[in-house]
Amino acid sequence: MTGATAASAASPDGTLAAPDLRPRQNAPAMPGVVIVGAQWGDEGKGKVVDLLAERATTIVRFQGGNNAGHTIVRDGEEFKFHLIPSGILHEEKTSVIGNGVVVDPRVLLGEIDNLKRAGISVGNLRLSANAHLIMPYHVLLDSAGETKLGKNSIGTTRRGIGPCYADKALRLGIRVQDLLDEKILRTKIRAALEPKQQALRELSVQRRKRLKEAGEDAKPIEESVQVPDPRLDLHAMVEEHVSFGHRLEPHIADTARLCWEALDGGETVIFEGAQATLLDLDHGTYPFVTSSNPIAGEACVGAGIGPKDIDEVWGIAKAYATRVGAGPFPTELFDDVGEQMLQRGHEFGTTTGRRRRCGWMDLIALRYAVRLNRMDALAITKLDVLSGIGPLRVAVRYRSKEGAVLDTFPYHQSILHSAEPEYEELPGFDLDLTSCRSASDLPQEARDYLGFIADFVGVPVRLVGVGPDREQVIWLED
Ligand code: IMP
């Protein structure tokens, strides 16, 4: 082993301090901390954000929408969020939904209502006036598009994410600020709605044809063209969205300015990514990706800050790997070990309830994520899930179909699709880790496992998760 490892980072007496993210005295104001997923999502970012948020005044989400799902367990109580930043449980802090997020107003209002019912104040929730809205037609288009793709589908969450970002790029999007002016709202929805009605009609006709050919649908094709879908009625849509606007108005703000004020005042601001690096629209496993950029660079665009506002980047990775939806996953397991990870890790989606695909930790992919995000530190979550699963394996290179050794993440889709992982085998551990609270409580094999990861990817592991509760963590010194 070379360089700093998590194991060697543990001080001999096992006393480990949480990293101090507080603004330094007389230090230049640069306390922007970005937290991103380092794999295919569901790494447990919510819990890490919740923990690091203790030292911040402001927590900002910068991309994605309600395709994400964060679960935070606090004192045994479980909170699930899709849109609201994980920092919301710190009521005195400002929680921001940035301009880069796509917002389904119905979902957001539902989350606000749930929090209020649980007695949690949402008085400090701020919503960017520039964020785009997921409209009912986006959700319909996402579903119809996936159905059309059939066995080639992406496996999206069908929450309208892709069609909403597409409208944003087409300049046909409806923004949060539009909710506050009925006339503008009506004009914009009318312009956006017409092509969607056409597209949906066409998709519906094609579907009927396909079903008919397969002998599955007796209804006449014309029916789908003639019956107007009540969910696409302009008048009703405008009315409903005006009322959403009334309810959201107290939260709508110039959120980029809010971030600047906090950063310039020397406060710590956490920028919370959703999804993860390998689902990035530009750098992930395209086309099996989401429609936004979940990497650290996007914090600038999606929140409205400059690159120099970012002081620290944390990547969150599970101690193994999971993926939902279709797309390449070189270390995927189809055996008992994968099943054990699924069951013990409760690997079912927070948003869709889908079974997650499980596999070994892929260090080629993780090293790629570390560099792409220029990470300073890693948090490794769910280490406890691996106890009793020994020996442990980590992918350290791939081999191409032609037999070439690949020690970097292949940019070419076909190469990645057929890449075979080659593993390093490391000793496993049987101890139940859920009550470990310091590095010295961990068995040597677990420390070596973390050390191997840190060495391979070149950044320290600074936080380890050993259970779902926020107390079930181990801080490691850099
Ligand atoms: P979309 O983001 O709903 O368009 O889905 C695109 C791909 O990203 C699909 O494979 C989804 O399963 C995946 N995806 C989207 N959000 C998440 C997430 O929060 N965790 C894990 N996978 C996600």
Side-chain angles (χ1 to χ4, degrees):
M1 252 185 245
T2 55
T5 69
S8 63
S11 57
D13 64 354
T15 14
L16 298 157
D20 191 353
L21 297 177
R22 281 170 300 187
R24 284 146 287 181
Q25 290 233 313
N26 306 320
M30 49 174 202
V33 180
V34 179
I35 297 175
V36 291
Q39 296 162 315
W40 279 283
D42 310 311
E43 296 93 348
K45 295 179 288 291
K47 174 170 155 176
V48 179
V49 171
D50 183 45
L51 285 166
L52 296 184
E54 273 177 19
R55 305 267 159 78
T57 60
T58 310
I59 299 95
V60 187
R61 249 196 77 179
F62 58 85
Q63 47 70 229
N66 59 310
N67 46 349
H70 301 296
T71 307
I72 299 171
V73 182
R74 245 198 198 193
D75 304 326
E77 197 177 351
E78 201 174 78
F79 295 90
K80 286 186 195 294
F81 303 111
H82 298 286
L83 267 173
I84 291 186
S86 313
I88 195 76
L89 298 183
H90 302 266
E91 296 172 50
E92 71 291 359
K93 302 182 194 293
T94 308
S95 286
V96 174
I97 298 177
N99 57 277
V101 178
V102 286
V103 179
D104 187 327
R106 216 181 298 253
V107 174
L108 178 56
L109 286 165
E111 286 187 15
I112 289 175
D113 288 342
N114 283 343
L115 281 165
K116 283 183 180 165
R117 263 196 296 276
I120 294 164
S121 163
V122 289
N124 285 331
L125 175 67
R126 296 289 174 271
L127 170 62
S128 168
N130 289 349
H132 280 247
L133 294 174
I134 296 180
M135 303 297 287
Y137 43 81
H138 292 137
V139 181
L140 293 173
L141 273 173
D142 196 358
S143 243
E146 282 285 274
T147 304
K148 184 186 174 192
L149 284 171
K151 66 177 177 32
N152 295 324
S153 70
I154 309 288
T156 75
T157 58
R158 300 190 178 217
R159 300 294 190 266
I161 308 296
C164 182
Y165 278 115
D167 264 359
K168 176 177 178 175
L170 281 170
R171 287 147 299 177
L172 276 177
I174 315 293
R175 293 190 295 172
V176 166
Q177 57 185 277
D178 300 327
L179 295 174
L180 304 179
D181 184 323
E182 184 171 342
K183 205 165 146 222
I184 291 179
L185 184 66
R186 184 178 301 279
T187 311
K188 290 195 173 181
I189 294 184
R190 184 181 285 122
L193 190 55
E194 202 193 282
K196 310 302 182 307
Q197 280 168 329
Q198 260 177 33
L200 284 165
R201 256 198 304 266
E202 225 160 85
L203 283 165
S204 170
V205 170
Q206 286 172 9
R207 182 157 181 268
R208 288 284 166 91
K209 275 190 185 150
R210 277 199 309 276
L211 288 173
K212 218 170 173 65
E213 276 161 22
E216 286 178 34
D217 190 26
K219 282 186 205 145
I221 290 166
E222 300 70 40
E223 210 173 276
S224 60
V225 185
Q226 281 159 8
V227 178
D229 189 327
R231 292 167 297 185
L232 296 178
D233 178 70
L234 173 68
H235 182 70
M237 207 181 291
V238 173
E239 254 189 18
E240 185 179 36
H241 283 75
V242 166
S243 87
F244 291 156
H246 289 315
R247 291 196 55 204
L248 290 173
E249 194 168 1
H251 302 285
I252 300 175
D254 177 354
T255 52
R257 189 167 295 281
L258 270 177
C259 294
W260 306 336
E261 282 166 5
L263 291 162
D264 295 347
E267 296 168 18
T268 294
V269 179
I270 289 182
F271 298 93
E272 172 186 0
Q275 292 84 47
T277 303
L278 297 168
L279 290 174
D280 185 272
L281 183 59
D282 289 74
H283 300 283
T285 53
Y286 191 90
F288 301 101
V289 293
T290 191
S291 296
S292 65
N293 295 101
I295 57 171
E298 176 64 13
C300 296
V301 181
I305 55 158
K308 290 185 176 175
D309 285 315
I310 299 175
D311 187 40
E312 203 167 309
V313 178
W314 281 64
I316 319 300
K318 253 179 231 182
Y320 47 102
T322 63
R323 170 164 207 169
V324 250
F329 180 7
T331 61
E332 183 168 11
L333 289 168
F334 301 94
D335 58 7
D336 281 357
V337 175
E339 188 62 28
Q340 261 176 290
M341 289 170 176
L342 177 96
Q343 298 300 342
R344 300 187 49 192
H346 307 290
E347 296 296 354
F348 298 91
T350 317
T351 302
T352 58
R354 286 180 292 177
R355 230 176 123 92
R356 296 179 185 142
R357 300 155 65 192
C358 297
W360 293 118
M361 167 70 95
D362 183 341
L363 292 181
I364 296 293
L366 187 62
R367 190 165 59 188
Y368 170 71
V370 164
R371 182 60 190 91
L372 193 57
N373 292 284
R374 201 66 154 94
M375 287 173 195
D376 297 287
L378 277 172
I380 301 288
T381 59
K382 294 188 139 179
L383 185 62
D384 54 299
V385 172
L386 293 184
S387 68
I389 301 189
L392 302 173
R393 296 177 128 203
V394 288
V396 290
R397 69 187 81 82
Y398 303 138
R399 199 164 287 269
S400 77
K401 216 168 44 207
E402 293 75 24
V405 172
L406 309 169
D407 55 13
T408 56
F409 196 69
Y411 67 86
H412 200 291
Q413 195 185 346
S414 316
I415 297 177
L416 181 63
H417 275 269
S418 58
E420 284 294 330
E422 292 190 350
Y423 294 103
E424 184 84 23
E425 203 163 272
L426 302 168
F429 47 89
D430 291 326
L431 188 78
D432 174 2
L433 305 187
T434 52
S435 36
C436 295
R437 293 294 176 270
S438 77
S440 57
D441 294 341
L442 290 173
Q444 187 60 43
E445 293 81 0
R447 291 203 251 175
D448 287 346
Y449 183 71
L450 296 171
F452 192 92
I453 294 171
D455 264 358
F456 194 94
V457 302
V459 288
V461 175
R462 285 174 66 189
L463 184 64
V464 181
V466 289
D469 207 273
R470 76 192 302 275
E471 311 305 325
Q472 291 178 297
V473 287
I474 299 172
W475 292 97
L476 303 171
E477 269 182 358
D478 189 350

